[in-house]
Amino acid sequence: MAADGDGGTDPPTPRTRCEEAARRILHGAALTGRSAFAPGLESWTPRAVRELVTGFVERPDDSGDDFMTKLRRQLRDASDEAVVLAAELLYLNMLPLSGATIGVARKRQILGEVLSWARRDVRLPEEYDAALPGFMKGGSAFLTLRWAQFSFLIRLARDLVGRAPDERERLLCDPWAFRQAARGVLPDDKGGQRARAQYHLLLWLAFPDTFEAIASVEHKERIREAFGDRVDGVGDLDRDLHAIRASLQAESDTHVWFYDEPWAKVWQSPAEAPAQRGWLVRGANVGGVDLVPQWLERGFCSLSFHEADEIPPGTPAARMEEILTDAYPDATRASLVQIRSQLDQFLNRMSVGDLVVTLDPDGDVHVGTVASAAYDDPSQGRDRARRRSVDWAARTRHRQQLSEKAQGALRSLRTVNEITPVVSEFAEIAGLGDRVSEEVLAKDVTGEIQIPPVTEDFARRLHMPAEWLRETVELLQRKRQIILYGPPGTGKTYLARKIADHVAGPGRTALVQFHPSYSYETSSPDSGPGRTRTRRWGSTSSRVRSRVSPRRPGTRPPSRTCWSWTRSTGPTCPRCSASSTSCWSTARSRSRSNTPARTTRASRCPRTSSSSAP
């Protein structure tokens, strides 16, 4: 959410270019109806907007393809006017973002690809291309939630072009009326507000003298709190920030940018508040009793393990283990670890402001916000004594109406389980979308996964062709798995790790390396002939089709046994009538004197493992 550069004089030039480019679109094209990229084209019209609404907003593509692939399908039959309008809206979406979020080359690639779908030749004008470098970091939401942001911009365009010309002109001259209109189309068809970051930046793009170039509402609130003594506080966040900036501007000879010094150090506290999380807490069957109705009625949630005495928040792990050992003398070590983990999550890791989800016996999902620290109230028994106050929302939805990933999070058998990556969907169905932090939205996995673009600098550091790397990363995004093969010592592992770091981010990958004597069947004990097993390595899945018999780790393959099976022309097996798809392979035969391996014809049938000597 911060500006690039380390001084107060660096941001204005790229910032001014962004302001001017946005003004020409929002106060020019949107007002006259003529395209900003192709002035001879009427793109800001009800008909063009209706095509985008029908093709994109009302026809979501739930496939696993990337954003551009899905958008191409959705706009396949769109007119030139609708295609150019889509490019202009995507331009507004990416305009202020610097290379730290999305590079200039990737911006040009996206815009060029969309414009290429038009039947006429339309190119990005130079004056708009000059503003593409941007000047600020927008956060991960601009990569993972682009579909939601684009949908919001389409809804706003529909609202604008649907107004009479004089009313549209009045709206584009009044910042507060424009904000009211944008706020009215911010919720999507499910009531969610995943385009919140785009909403805040769009206000600045339309009226840079009134609103701040800040995408995070949390940052806005912290700035108002830090400089609150400069305003009376009218209760309107944007109006208060406008007054604060005017007050600071009167004392400074330079442009006030809250991410620059000396203003940044006033509100950017080194001690950050605990990150918001999401939690699943089960209460539908606590010793055979459904506690969920009581939770909803009295505004709390609880954790049982009633055999254990009161455990105050902050109790050291060693002391907690002693209490649990006394309470559950017959429990295994693994069970005690599980209980301690769930108690620690409920008592210590859960924080005020976190989102909590529970299920009733009918499968209805209830969502609320944690409103207090953990406390002990044994008045109704120890099975519901460990509590946290919760502000439960009134809106509910059945679990079968959720996305597949959200339903998967509800399958956990733990009484308390963290579900932060999917909790934003639960918040939206309950009408609590405005309480989800930008950090949680950035971790959301229910939306589309956006992989950072392959830049020329990245290709240069790997000494690999940029086009090959782009094709490889796109293949990984599409197929979710790739295999790099080649002779030893050619850099396969190094390249795989670098690509994984690029896709998932540094520190978010893992390397699993096997001893040379291990086969796929050793690492996957439940795989055998004809079985398929998925094994997750780092950020991708490796799918292995086993065709050979498993063997014990560290042992050599039996003499004259087929263990490297390849296709070639061979005789039909007399035992199983197998076709000529086997049986030439490398069979290793070693003696105690370590004689070299020799290549022979396999002597075992790959289907029955019975002898089929040539």
Side-chain angles (χ1 to χ4, degrees):
M1 311 298 175
D4 287 347
D6 54 5
T9 59
D10 291 337
T13 299
R15 178 188 177 117
T16 304
R17 289 176 179 170
C18 289
E19 292 175 358
E20 180 60 25
R23 185 191 64 79
R24 285 194 292 265
I25 295 178
L26 292 172
H27 297 272
L31 191 59
T32 65
R34 291 189 295 273
S35 168
F37 293 172
L41 204 64
E42 297 283 339
S43 61
W44 287 78
T45 63
R47 184 176 67 84
V49 173
R50 193 179 307 114
E51 289 186 58
L52 295 185
V53 171
T54 304
F56 187 86
V57 179
E58 296 179 351
R59 196 176 66 184
D61 189 334
D62 297 327
S63 69
D65 293 330
D66 61 275
F67 174 81
M68 293 302 295
T69 301
K70 292 191 285 189
L71 184 62
R72 185 188 303 112
R73 284 199 297 262
Q74 291 167 311
L75 302 185
R76 181 174 49 227
D77 301 323
S79 65
D80 287 358
E81 291 81 2
V83 169
V84 174
L85 176 58
E88 293 176 3
L89 294 178
L90 284 173
Y91 179 86
L92 290 174
N93 168 253
M94 301 183 292
L95 175 60
L97 307 177
S98 69
T101 303
I102 180 171
V104 176
R106 178 57 177 166
K107 289 182 181 180
R108 290 185 181 129
Q109 181 184 359
I110 290 174
L111 295 172
E113 182 177 350
V114 174
L115 290 173
S116 70
W117 301 338
R119 296 168 184 83
R120 66 184 70 191
D121 184 24
V122 181
R123 301 179 185 274
L124 184 66
E126 290 185 7
E127 61 270 26
Y128 292 98
D129 184 82
L132 283 181
F135 70 98
M136 65 175 295
K137 299 175 183 176
S140 301
F142 283 89
L143 296 176
T144 59
L145 298 176
R146 182 177 295 151
W147 60 273
Q149 296 168 350
F150 184 53
S151 181
F152 160 69
L153 293 173
I154 294 174
R155 296 195 298 270
L156 181 62
R158 177 177 59 182
D159 182 81
L160 288 175
V161 302
R163 297 172 183 263
D166 56 340
E167 186 181 359
R168 192 188 315 175
E169 184 175 4
R170 180 189 63 80
L171 193 68
L172 292 171
C173 293
D174 184 346
W176 305 110
F178 180 84
R179 184 186 70 163
Q180 186 65 26
R183 185 180 291 173
V185 298
L186 176 59
D188 57 28
D189 58 346
K190 296 180 180 179
Q193 298 186 2
R194 297 192 183 190
R196 196 166 63 224
Q198 177 68 80
Y199 160 79
H200 288 290
L201 275 192
L202 181 69
L203 296 181
W204 170 79
L205 287 171
F207 298 95
D209 294 331
T210 304
F211 300 104
E212 298 301 318
I214 300 175
S216 168
V217 67
E218 287 86 3
H219 286 193
K220 286 187 173 183
E221 290 173 344
R222 285 163 57 185
I223 292 170
R224 180 174 65 175
E225 182 179 354
F227 294 96
D229 57 338
R230 293 181 171 270
V231 293
D232 295 333
V234 297
D236 187 304
L237 182 58
D238 291 314
R239 291 182 186 272
D240 287 346
L241 290 179
H242 180 60
I244 290 172
R245 178 163 51 139
S247 173
L248 294 173
Q249 197 77 52
E251 303 173 2
S252 175
D253 296 331
T254 61
H255 178 81
V256 174
W257 173 241
F258 286 107
Y259 291 102
D260 278 345
E261 299 298 346
W263 306 287
K265 65 182 178 183
V266 178
W267 66 273
Q268 288 181 333
S269 173
E272 295 286 342
Q276 187 183 44
R277 295 186 177 97
W279 304 93
L280 170 66
V281 182
R282 295 191 177 277
N285 184 9
V286 181
V289 179
D290 177 17
L291 297 182
V292 174
Q294 189 179 100
W295 288 4
L296 302 177
E297 179 184 354
R298 302 191 180 185
F300 73 96
C301 69
S302 59
L303 183 64
S304 182
F305 299 116
H306 60 275
E307 294 87 351
D309 294 334
E310 178 184 355
I311 302 177
T315 300
R319 175 57 185 154
M320 189 182 297
E321 189 169 346
E322 292 178 3
I323 296 175
L324 295 178
T325 301
D326 293 340
Y328 303 98
D330 298 327
T332 64
R333 173 67 178 171
S335 298
L336 291 176
V337 170
Q338 286 285 339
I339 296 173
R340 188 184 69 186
S341 170
Q342 295 178 78
L343 284 168
D344 179 64
Q345 287 180 325
F346 188 85
L347 297 174
N348 302 321
R349 295 187 62 201
M350 193 179 291
S351 303
V352 174
D354 284 0
L355 295 162
V356 61
V357 177
T358 194
L359 276 168
D360 63 26
D362 296 326
D364 290 328
V365 179
H366 304 272
V367 187
T369 306
V370 178
S372 77
Y375 63 93
D376 202 79
D377 180 5
S379 59
Q380 295 178 305
R382 289 303 310 169
D383 60 343
R384 63 202 75 179
R386 273 180 271 274
R387 299 186 179 187
R388 281 184 180 268
S389 298
V390 177
D391 294 330
W392 294 103
R395 290 167 55 181
T396 64
R397 183 172 296 180
H398 196 273
R399 63 184 301 171
Q400 293 182 351
Q401 296 177 294
L402 302 172
S403 69
E404 182 179 347
K405 291 181 179 178
Q407 291 187 52
L410 298 177
R411 297 190 185 105
S412 171
L413 299 180
R414 290 168 59 95
T415 306
V416 180
N417 192 49
E418 183 175 353
I419 56 171
T420 302
V422 298
V423 77
S424 60
E425 179 175 338
F426 292 104
E428 286 181 9
I429 66 172
L432 302 177
D434 57 339
R435 301 191 187 183
V436 180
S437 69
E438 299 294 335
E439 289 76 8
V440 171
L441 284 176
K443 298 175 182 177
D444 180 56
V445 298
T446 60
E448 178 191 356
I449 298 175
Q450 288 290 336
I451 294 179
V454 173
T455 62
E456 294 293 335
D457 179 64
F458 178 66
R460 188 165 48 252
R461 284 186 281 113
L462 292 185
H463 304 286
M464 295 293 292
E467 189 58 36
W468 182 89
L469 285 172
R470 291 191 187 100
E471 184 179 328
T472 302
V473 170
E474 289 174 3
L475 183 65
L476 176 60
Q477 184 175 12
R478 207 164 54 243
K479 297 295 186 180
R480 297 293 190 268
Q481 55 183 320
I482 58 174
I483 297 176
L484 303 177
Y485 67 94
T490 53
K492 298 185 298 299
T493 302
Y494 173 81
L495 184 60
R497 298 191 73 169
K498 290 298 181 183
I499 292 176
D501 286 340
H502 174 77
V503 170
R508 301 180 63 187
T509 63
L511 175 68
V512 180
Q513 192 163 2
F514 296 97
H515 190 274
S517 66
Y518 271 49
S519 68
Y520 283 122
E521 293 70 41
T522 303
S523 62
S524 305
D526 59 343
S527 65
R531 297 182 186 175
T532 301
R533 174 179 172 84
T534 300
R535 189 175 182 85
R536 188 162 298 278
W537 294 347
S539 61
T540 62
S541 296
S542 177
R543 200 168 179 84
V544 178
R545 180 76 174 177
S546 175
R547 293 184 182 272
V548 294
S549 302
R551 57 188 174 86
R552 295 190 305 278
T555 62
R556 295 173 178 169
S559 176
R560 298 179 61 78
T561 299
C562 174
W563 65 291
S564 174
W565 193 48
T566 59
R567 287 179 176 269
S568 67
T569 303
T572 302
C573 173
R575 294 293 298 272
C576 68
S577 300
S579 62
S580 58
T581 58
S582 55
C583 243
W584 289 102
S585 60
T586 301
R588 296 184 178 269
S589 176
R590 299 179 184 270
S591 65
R592 295 181 180 179
S593 59
N594 291 325
T595 57
R598 66 179 185 271
T599 301
T600 66
R601 189 171 177 182
S603 59
R604 291 178 183 266
C605 171
R607 292 196 177 186
T608 63
S609 296
S610 61
S611 176
S612 56

